[in-house]
Amino acid sequence: MAADRKVILVTGASSGFGRLTAHTLARAGHVVIAGMRATRERNAPAVEEIRRLATTESLLLSSVELDVQSQASADAAVAEIVECHSRLDVVVHNAGHMVLGPAEAFTPEQITAVHDINVVGTQRVNRAALPVLRGQGSGLLVWVGSSSSRGGHPPFLAPYFAAKAAMDALAESYAAELIRFGIGTTIIVPGAFTSGTNHFLHAGHPADEATAAAYDSLYGEIRATIDKRLPELVPPDADVQSVADEIARIIDLPDDRRPFRTHVDPSRDGSEVVSAVADRIRAEFYHRLGIEGLLPLNASL
């Protein structure tokens, strides 16, 4: 294996950011394993696309069954990767699920399920992958977050944004706990990309339809058109491929040059400024704790 070629697992790679990222990283020369669930059922076409692309372009690209809601599935996926490639260098935490509707109308069980996919799912993958990375004394976790975790939350997406904020907090704590093992962290923060992904197409909806309907008299038009209003906030030249390109750029940087957090935000909603201030404060906090290397105090944010 070439010295700069990495073995990379991308979760939630059947569509959207994950699919583009898997393809982009493979074309950059890495060994890429696209993790997705239902590889023999719903996502069989995605698996076939990966096989065809790998053959046509001579890419080191493959797929693996990975349901982030199952620890057994995460364990089996990582074990298969290590058996085939003898190592694992990078995990891209991309798997996620969006829901759309009044927050009140989602049952507690639905809120729990959203967190189970977007937050607990990363924990299952980490518990499978981190023993390998710690054993190697090297590795990188890339977390695909959301600019919403720093403010600017549109209405009727609360459960999803709450889960993304929780994932962001988990990523920050993990970063400090892993740096001494030689495992780096970068949080990728996409803005409001509304085309090129299946977020709205596959979005879940409230189970409590009666409560949801109670919002219609005052918010019905907004609810019905929010998937069309949000794109109006995004410049027409915004390209979802830029997220995959940024992930590839970060992975190819030397360990000591990778940013802790990087924004890919076509709307420039200001969240990157808030993040820069927060990361500067965090750098000083970790410095005082004696945890060096996570974010240099002279880092360009």
Side-chain angles (χ1 to χ4, degrees), residues 123-248:
Q123 177 70 355
R124 295 187 182 99
V125 174
N126 277 350
R127 284 183 57 79
L130 286 177
V132 178
L133 272 59
R134 285 190 289 103
Q136 295 169 174
S138 65
L140 174 66
L141 298 184
V142 178
W143 306 71
V144 180
S146 169
S147 60
S148 65
S149 63
R150 287 296 180 271
H153 304 82
F156 306 114
L157 291 162
Y160 174 68
F161 288 151
K164 279 297 187 181
M167 191 204 77
D168 191 281
L170 188 66
E172 289 186 358
S173 290
Y174 256 121
E177 295 175 11
L178 294 176
I179 190 64
R180 289 186 174 179
F181 288 103
I183 302 170
T185 294
T186 290
I187 303 172
I188 307 291
V189 188
F193 288 93
T194 53
S195 62
T197 71
N198 291 324
H199 285 334
F200 285 99
L201 178 64
H202 295 159
H205 299 278
D208 185 351
E209 296 179 0
T211 297
Y215 282 75
D216 284 346
S217 61
L218 298 178
Y219 292 97
E221 182 183 358
I222 295 176
R223 284 185 57 202
T225 60
I226 192 168
D227 60 335
K228 299 177 180 61
R229 290 172 182 246
L230 286 177
E232 295 175 358
L233 304 177
V234 181
D237 60 347
D239 185 356
V240 70
Q241 176 64 40
S242 62
V243 176
D245 291 342
E246 179 66 359
I247 292 174

Side-chain angles (χ1 to χ4, degrees), residues 3-87:
D4 57 350
R5 179 180 290 165
K6 297 178 176 63
V7 177
I8 304 172
L9 169 63
V10 181
T11 71
S14 64
S15 63
F17 293 148
R19 171 181 172 275
L20 290 172
T21 297
H23 294 180
T24 301
L25 290 170
R27 285 168 174 152
H30 297 293
V31 178
V32 181
I33 301 92
M36 63 188 80
R37 61 181 177 175
T39 53
R40 296 183 180 180
E41 295 88 30
R42 177 167 58 86
N43 285 323
V47 171
E48 175 58 23
E49 178 192 27
I50 285 172
R51 186 201 63 76
R52 185 170 58 251
L53 186 67
T55 300
T56 302
E57 299 187 20
S58 300
L59 303 177
L60 298 173
L61 174 64
S62 61
S63 60
V64 69
E65 175 71 28
L66 173 54
D67 181 354
V68 299
Q69 291 187 278
S70 164
Q71 187 65 59
S73 179
D75 292 343
V78 170
E80 181 177 332
I81 292 168
V82 174
E83 181 179 359
C84 291
H85 304 289
S86 302
R87 63 182 298 108

Side-chain angles (χ1 to χ4, degrees), residues 6 138-139 182 253-258:
K6 297 178 176 63
S138 65
L253 287 174
D255 292 350
D256 60 354
R257 295 288 304 280
R258 293 192 188 103

